[in-house]
Amino acid sequence: MSRILLEGISKVFPGSVYAVRDIDLTIDSGEFMVLVGPSGCGKSTLLRMIAGLEEATDGAIRIGDRNVTKLAPRERDIAMVFQNYALYPHTTVERNLGYGLKVRKMDKEEARRRVTEAAHLLGLETLLERKPSALSGGQRQRVAMGRAIVREPQAFLMDEPLSNLDAKLRVTMRAELAKLHERLGVTTVYVTHDQVEAMTLGQRVAVMRDGELQQVDTPQNLYHHPDNLFVAAFIGSPSMNLVEATIEDGHALFAGFRIPLSRPEQSPSGTVILGIRPQDFEDAAFADPSLPTIDVEVAVVEELGSESHVLFAIEAAPVNVEAVRAASEEADEALLVTDERHALFTAVVAGESQARTGATARLAVDSRRFHYFDPATGDLVGGARADASAAAR
């Protein structure tokens, strides 16, 4: 296991196009770090620079106690797992697992031991004589991971390894990856554009946008305490509800609603972008009776069994700042049930809720969890983060 240290790393392509800009990041020994962000944010480029597949324009990369910035990939003692598995189709699972060791001319007995251990660890013992064409997608991905494991490297680098799998298999493979990391304890850097995958796998998550780090923190802190509007809009499923609001006299005013704030002394004043997580609503019939309520006209109800998603339009325009557009690749979907003058909100309520499409529903809302962002900069200016800081003091 080795710490990975990135110091001022940048990558500039011809035409002064920055793919990665001045990244400082420490990945602790044995840590599972996830790089997440929308397509084109630079996360895969950063991973490839750690691997040595891309040359850094500026900065230094250290793995363990070595500066590897100028070293070739095979000299860095890392192992990569790719999206497309990269298996040799005409040879067996066993030979695929051991091929890298054969190329390095490792002692045959030691190579056999490593292949046997990796096969046992990944449940591949009965598949060793099969060829990749006879394997399922999940089995192929396990072989790809096994080929990295037998190397016994200082670090694993994984570039969207689960993206070719169907949704159910991705859930299973996420659990297997988490267990595998717990057993091996090898420093891992994992790239994905799927924020749910990032939140469930990462011990820490680095959120990227336009080649720059936005926030590096634990999944829970990213969710509850986003530093800016981009992170708030990107992290969380369903995504955070956002609206321009006015804070005055201890109330949040937006779309004809006037919601009393539980801690007005810790809230900003004036015009803000207000963020409310869908999970911070509840059907008033099942909520704490002390919480303020709003009446809404239900546009759609998505019943998911243990919970329901209640979608409703409000009399306010959607937040249309660049940070929110960048965070949501599906930003225009709301226009299917509303228009550019009405924002679409989502509330996650109890599955027993009687909310119905086309009817009025009464929702309780927990103002203790409101987030407030500066409309000009997108930076957090109060709310949940301020509450946490005050509690710590």
Side-chain angles (χ1 to χ4, degrees):
M1 295 187 294
S2 295
R3 183 180 70 161
I4 299 174
L5 182 62
L6 309 180
E7 300 174 316
I9 287 294
S10 294
K11 178 65 178 181
V12 186
F13 288 109
S16 298
V17 177
Y18 273 85
V20 173
R21 185 188 296 268
D22 198 24
I23 296 286
D24 290 310
L25 180 64
T26 299
I27 302 160
D28 293 329
S29 180
E31 183 176 25
F32 198 120
M33 171 70 76
V34 177
L35 307 179
V36 68
S39 298
C41 72
K43 55 189 183 294
S44 289
T45 301
L46 184 59
L47 189 79
R48 288 171 63 83
M49 284 194 288
I50 297 172
L53 301 176
E54 293 280 0
E55 184 178 348
T57 306
D58 292 299
I61 301 170
R62 301 180 186 277
I63 300 178
D65 58 0
R66 296 190 304 154
N67 185 332
V68 301
T69 312
K70 302 297 183 182
L71 296 184
R74 64 181 181 180
E75 297 177 287
R76 299 192 181 200
D77 196 15
I78 52 89
M80 288 199 72
V81 180
F82 297 95
Q83 174 180 341
N84 62 0
Y85 316 140
L87 302 180
Y88 298 103
H90 302 303
T91 191
T92 64
V93 167
E94 183 174 19
R95 290 183 177 179
N96 265 284
L97 290 173
Y99 183 79
L101 305 181
K102 180 180 178 181
V103 169
R104 289 170 177 78
K105 299 181 179 179
M106 179 174 288
D107 175 77
K108 291 184 179 180
E109 287 303 316
E110 174 63 14
R112 187 177 295 110
R113 179 191 68 79
R114 292 191 184 190
V115 168
T116 300
E117 287 184 358
H120 175 73
L121 184 66
L122 295 166
L124 298 172
E125 300 103 315
T126 61
L127 306 176
L128 291 175
E129 297 306 315
R130 293 191 189 182
K131 293 182 178 179
S133 60
L135 303 177
S136 67
Q139 289 167 342
R140 293 180 194 178
Q141 190 55 272
R142 287 206 299 273
V143 175
M145 288 189 289
R147 194 168 56 186
I149 289 169
V150 297
R151 290 273 315 281
E152 297 185 1
Q154 293 192 69
F156 293 136
L157 306 182
M158 301 188 180
D159 192 2
E160 305 207 43
L162 307 185
S163 60
N164 285 341
L165 306 179
D166 62 56
K168 186 174 181 180
L169 188 53
R170 280 202 303 272
V171 173
T172 301
M173 290 301 297
R174 285 205 304 263
E176 290 190 12
L177 268 175
K179 289 190 297 182
L180 189 62
H181 178 263
E182 184 177 351
R183 292 181 65 176
L184 297 176
V186 177
T187 308
T188 302
V189 186
Y190 186 102
V191 162
T192 181
H193 68 275
D194 184 340
Q195 57 95 13
V196 174
E197 196 169 284
M199 297 285 280
T200 53
L201 277 174
Q203 293 174 328
R204 284 194 302 155
V205 177
V207 183
M208 295 184 65
R209 174 193 175 196
D210 295 337
E212 298 181 345
L213 285 179
Q214 299 294 300
Q215 187 173 350
V216 183
D217 215 326
T218 64
Q220 287 299 311
N221 277 340
L222 288 175
Y223 179 84
H224 292 294
H225 309 303
D227 281 348
N228 58 47
L229 196 53
F230 175 82
V231 176
F234 189 80
I235 296 295
S237 182
S239 59
M240 182 182 284
N241 301 300
L242 298 166
V243 65
E244 188 171 293
T246 300
I247 308 301
E248 65 178 28
D249 299 328
H251 290 75
L253 284 63
F254 66 94
F257 300 121
R258 183 180 176 87
I259 300 176
L261 302 176
S262 60
R263 299 173 184 174
E265 71 282 357
Q266 294 179 352
S267 303
S269 60
T271 300
V272 299
I273 294 177
L274 175 66
I276 309 173
R277 291 285 184 197
Q279 292 80 2
D280 294 332
F281 287 104
E282 181 54 280
D283 187 316
F286 302 96
D288 182 341
S290 67
L291 294 177
T293 61
I294 58 175
D295 292 331
V296 303
E297 193 76 17
V298 178
V300 177
V301 177
E302 299 175 341
E303 297 184 4
L304 304 177
S306 62
E307 65 185 29
S308 294
H309 294 180
V310 176
L311 282 66
F312 58 96
I314 62 171
E315 295 288 334
V319 173
N320 193 29
V321 299
E322 201 278 332
V324 175
R325 292 196 301 271
S328 177
E329 296 178 354
E330 295 81 29
D332 292 336
E333 285 189 356
L335 299 180
L336 296 174
V337 292
T338 184
D339 57 52
E340 62 184 13
R341 295 170 299 171
H342 298 83
L344 188 69
F345 269 34
T346 302
V348 175
V349 302
E352 297 81 7
S353 171
Q354 296 303 304
R356 293 293 178 264
T357 299
T360 299
R362 177 159 293 176
L363 300 176
V365 56
D366 190 348
S367 65
R368 294 171 299 179
R369 301 185 183 276
F370 282 1
H371 298 77
Y372 309 98
F373 302 94
D374 186 313
T377 66
D379 292 336
L380 186 74
V381 292
R385 173 71 82 176
D387 291 352
S389 298
R393 291 194 295 268

